[in-house]
Amino acid sequence: MTAVPSTSARRTRAGFSILRRGGASIGVVVTTLLGLLVLTFVVGRMVPADPVIAIIGDQADQAAYDRVYSDLGLDQPLWRQFASYVGDVVTLDFGESNLTRNAVSTDLARVFPATVELASAALIIGTLLGVPLGVAAAVRRDSWVDHLARVVGLVGYSTPIFWLGMMVLLVFYAKLGWVPSGGRVGIYYEGLIEGPTGFLTLDAILARDWETARSALYHLMTPALILGYANTAYISRMSRSFMLEQLQQEYILTAQAKGASRQSVVWRHAFGNMRVQLLTVIALAYCGLLDGTVLIETVFGWPGLGQYLTTALFFADMNAVLGAVLLIGLISIAINLLCDIAYRMLDPRTK
Amino acid sequence: MTGLIDTGGQSLHDWLIDEDIKSRRQALAQRWYFGLRHLLSSPIAVLGLVIVVALVLAAAFAPLLATHNPYRQDLGRALLAPSSAHWMGTDELGRDVWSRLVYGSRTTLYITMLVTVLVAPVGFLIGALAGFIGGWLDTVLMRLTDIFLAFPSLVLALAFSAALGPGIENAVLAIALTIWPPVARLARAETLTVRNSDYVASARLQGASTLRILWRHLVPVCLPSIIVRLTLNMASVILTAAGLGFLGLGAQPPLAEWGAMAAAGRQYLIDAWWLTTFPGLAILLVSMAFNLLGDGLRDMLDPRKG
């Protein structure tokens, strides 16, 4: 929490032209991307399993082994292997999945929308609950709302999310029968909608297939609420500390002295000034959600990126693992970059 | 107690609150004493402390607390519901869940301690060197930090665990690799605040080496905030370790680990709720305790940021 004001202070430091900052931030993005590639490359090389044996089996003779070894480029110097790896990634060639026998990029394109759908739903829930809760907690400091926000935050920060998912299934699926056991849509509706967006709920609504839409929403609700809760904890905590920071400023006193109503002071004056910081937090929350989806998708059998990654891990399908990890890293970098740009555009102090 | 410390004839309590401080040691002791008093005045921090102490005691006296051998299988007594013989029931191999939970505290403590021991010096050194020496070293080290920070931490730990292979030591290494960047950032920020101060300059003029300045003058400055950061981090270390265990990448069977225990119970979730419920509660309790303690320590070391 204490890091945030210092970051904003650093970001608003004067003396830089926007142009120069733009150039610097492109440099930062390029080095971060390169670092990401080095990281996944090194992880790929560190794998204890021999990639040659994974392809030809351990019964093959030495000649076959050597041939595959050089086919894979493993006899090349390391920097050349890295260069060809970068070339592969740039052309979206992540190799073939040993498990599905598809190109990893095809698989990723198939599972990705499901994760975006889940994470976005969770983010909407987290924002709608977290921001008002955090603001109310700051405005009425040490009241019951503040205590509630504190408990929500503490429990949210401390709960193993996969366990929470299983507990919800235990109570609301097994005992009460209120929620489905998992998956993305009821089994009767499976494969009916092949929509334009890949977000099943949205596609079903666009196709005016209300039954499928209802079933999809019903399946989306539980995992989204669980992820959304974890998100509420984070967003409300940050909103609270931003709002407290604003309320201590002198312009608030001025506004009050001028007779502005409490409503107007909080929402027009203070909230207006914390919007940009809040945007950053919400964007970072989205990155955090990618962590949560890995576990929650596994618990709820949600056919997204997280489940794809954990299944691939389980079967030591390294191409698929590295592809998924790289994709998640790329999304995080993209979100951070967008955040920076939004910050510069929306915060008048950076002009 | 008084025999251990030279209090100059005063009682220990008087020596600790005496405003006329006579020695460096007395000043230090007073700082700890008042800090502790401040910490203990917050019931929430005390609650956290009590749970953490309980965890340590459970790990230390596991053989006394466990009612059964946590590793002995007895398929004839598999999946028994909680009863007076098995307080938390038995698992799918007939092992006593309570006893495994007690022994699991050792795994949890082992992971958090090892991660902390790895991360604290590495994070401090990277951050302090970046801040103190500055220039290109600062740029390179902070860029490196940014790259690690760009990843969601569980996904990064997953990737490293996948590369290193399953196992508890590898899980520790994977978690440590994801936890150090915030510590390095913190150490850098603290270093920057004192780098140009007079006492550091005077130490340098006296011919102190960089290493000596780092050790004698920067470590004491950075230590409090790093301790707070690491305590708060322990909660997320525990959650990440449990997540890795849940995905089968952390501790391997038959070692008792809470995340793996909860994962094993997933298959029997409907028929044997106790398999998943109790290990998860243990994770929740301990990670909450570290959060509470961390908040308390932060208030104690820096009352401004409430």
Side-chain angles (χ1 to χ4, degrees), chain B residues 54-74:
Chain B
L55 175 77
V56 174
L57 290 179
F61 299 107
L64 297 177
L65 288 167
T67 50
H68 295 73
N69 179 335
Y71 297 110
R72 198 175 52 228
Q73 304 180 5
D74 182 358

Side-chain angles (χ1 to χ4, degrees), chain A residues 1-2 28 31-32 35-36 39-40 43 46-48 141 154-155 157-160 162-163 166-167 169-170 173-175 237 240 287 290-291 294-295 298-301 309-310 313-314 318 321 325 328-329 332-333 336, chain B residues 143 146-156 158-160 162-165 185 188 235 239 242-243 246-247 249 259 262-263 265-266 269-270 273 276-281 283-284 287-288 291-292 295 298 305-306:
Chain A
M1 265 120 282
T2 51
V28 168
T31 46
T32 315
L36 180 70
L39 212 63
T40 47
V43 165
M46 270 168 22
V47 180
R141 211 174 166 183
L154 180 65
V155 174
Y157 270 112
S158 312
T159 310
F162 62 90
W163 176 76
M166 289 194 281
M167 288 297 106
L169 281 182
L170 179 64
Y173 164 70
K175 300 277 188 255
R237 214 172 193 181
R240 178 181 179 273
C287 292
L290 295 172
D291 259 356
V294 172
L295 293 168
T298 308
V299 172
F300 283 88
L309 175 61
T310 53
L313 273 174
F314 192 74
M318 274 325 276
V321 170
V325 168
I328 292 174
S332 303
I333 292 177
N336 278 309
Chain B
R143 192 63 57 241
D146 284 344
I147 292 167
F148 276 83
L149 274 177
F151 258 108
S153 60
L154 179 69
V155 173
L156 190 61
L158 274 182
F160 282 123
L164 296 165
R185 279 241 172 126
R188 177 175 177 270
L239 291 184
F246 175 71
L247 297 172
L249 285 168
R266 195 179 155 210
L269 187 61
I270 294 169
W273 56 270
T276 306
T277 308
F278 292 123
L281 278 176
I283 300 168
L284 170 61
S287 101
M288 193 184 287
N291 270 327
L292 292 174
D295 280 343
R298 186 179 48 203
K305 299 159 192 159

Side-chain angles (χ1 to χ4, degrees), chain A residues 219-349:
Chain A
H219 282 75
L220 174 63
M221 184 181 69
T222 325
L225 276 172
I226 292 170
L227 281 173
Y229 172 63
N231 230 335
T232 305
Y234 175 62
I235 293 178
S236 69
R237 214 172 193 181
M238 298 311 278
S239 310
R240 178 181 179 273
S241 78
F242 292 156
M243 184 50 90
L244 277 181
E245 196 191 321
Q246 292 301 333
L247 290 179
Q248 283 158 7
Q249 306 284 324
E250 286 180 351
Y251 73 88
I252 294 292
L253 203 64
T254 313
Q256 280 169 337
K258 277 161 58 180
S261 71
R262 184 159 144 158
Q263 204 79 0
S264 154
V265 167
V266 170
W267 290 106
R268 279 196 42 215
H269 292 85
F271 192 74
N273 279 327
M274 61 176 261
R275 268 184 318 202
V276 184
Q277 284 177 308
L278 202 58
L279 197 73
T280 317
V281 162
I282 290 172
L284 290 180
Y286 204 83
C287 292
L289 273 175
L290 295 172
D291 259 356
T293 53
V294 172
L295 293 168
I296 279 298
E297 284 182 7
T298 308
V299 172
F300 283 88
W302 187 264
L305 193 56
Q307 202 194 28
Y308 183 73
L309 175 61
T310 53
T311 315
L313 273 174
F314 192 74
F315 291 101
D317 185 357
M318 274 325 276
N319 281 342
V321 170
L322 290 179
V325 168
L326 195 62
L327 179 60
I328 292 174
L330 284 178
I331 298 167
S332 303
I333 292 177
I335 290 175
N336 278 309
L337 180 68
L338 285 176
C339 221
D340 255 21
I341 294 173
Y343 212 108
R344 232 161 274 156
M345 280 169 59
L346 296 178
D347 191 338
R349 283 171 300 184

Side-chain angles (χ1 to χ4, degrees), chain B residues 83-115:
Chain B
S83 64
S84 57
H86 297 283
W87 298 344
M88 293 183 175
T90 61
D91 69 3
E92 72 282 7
L93 296 171
R95 297 172 296 193
D96 182 59
V97 173
W98 160 251
S99 307
R100 284 183 68 72
L101 214 58
V102 168
Y103 273 84
S105 65
R106 291 186 165 182
T107 315
T108 301
L109 212 58
Y110 178 75
I111 292 175
T112 45
M113 289 303 132
L114 213 52
V115 167

Side-chain angles (χ1 to χ4, degrees), chain A residues 4-182:
Chain A
V4 174
S6 70
T7 317
S8 66
R10 201 176 59 224
R11 282 188 178 158
T12 53
R13 194 186 294 156
F16 270 92
S17 75
I18 298 237
L19 202 68
R20 192 164 150 205
R21 279 214 212 166
S25 85
I26 288 173
V28 168
V29 169
V30 169
T31 46
T32 315
L33 282 177
L34 215 59
L36 180 70
L37 288 171
V38 172
L39 212 63
T40 47
F41 178 74
V42 169
V43 165
R45 297 296 125 159
M46 270 168 22
V47 180
D50 186 333
V52 180
I53 288 178
I55 291 173
I56 58 173
D58 52 6
Q59 303 291 322
D61 56 27
Q62 190 62 38
Y65 184 93
D66 290 341
R67 200 174 58 245
V68 176
Y69 190 80
S70 70
D71 279 353
L72 288 175
L74 292 173
D75 52 348
Q76 304 277 332
L78 214 53
W79 66 268
R80 194 166 281 174
Q81 289 184 38
F82 180 66
S84 82
Y85 172 70
V86 173
D88 286 348
V89 169
V90 169
T91 54
L92 297 181
D93 176 9
F94 303 118
E96 188 184 85
S97 157
N98 294 333
L99 202 61
T100 61
R101 293 280 158 211
N102 292 330
V104 170
S105 48
T106 316
D107 278 345
L108 290 178
R110 180 170 49 81
V111 297
F112 187 50
T115 295
V116 175
E117 185 181 26
L118 179 58
S120 306
L123 190 73
I124 292 170
I125 293 169
T127 309
L128 288 182
L129 292 178
V131 174
L133 184 63
V135 168
V139 173
R140 298 161 184 237
R141 211 174 166 183
D142 291 322
S143 71
W144 64 269
V145 193
D146 198 12
H147 293 308
L148 177 74
R150 218 170 272 169
V151 171
V152 165
L154 180 65
V155 174
Y157 270 112
S158 312
T159 310
I161 195 159
F162 62 90
W163 176 76
L164 187 63
M166 289 194 281
M167 288 297 106
V168 166
L169 281 182
L170 179 64
V171 175
F172 293 98
Y173 164 70
K175 300 277 188 255
L176 298 171
W178 290 358
V179 305
S181 67

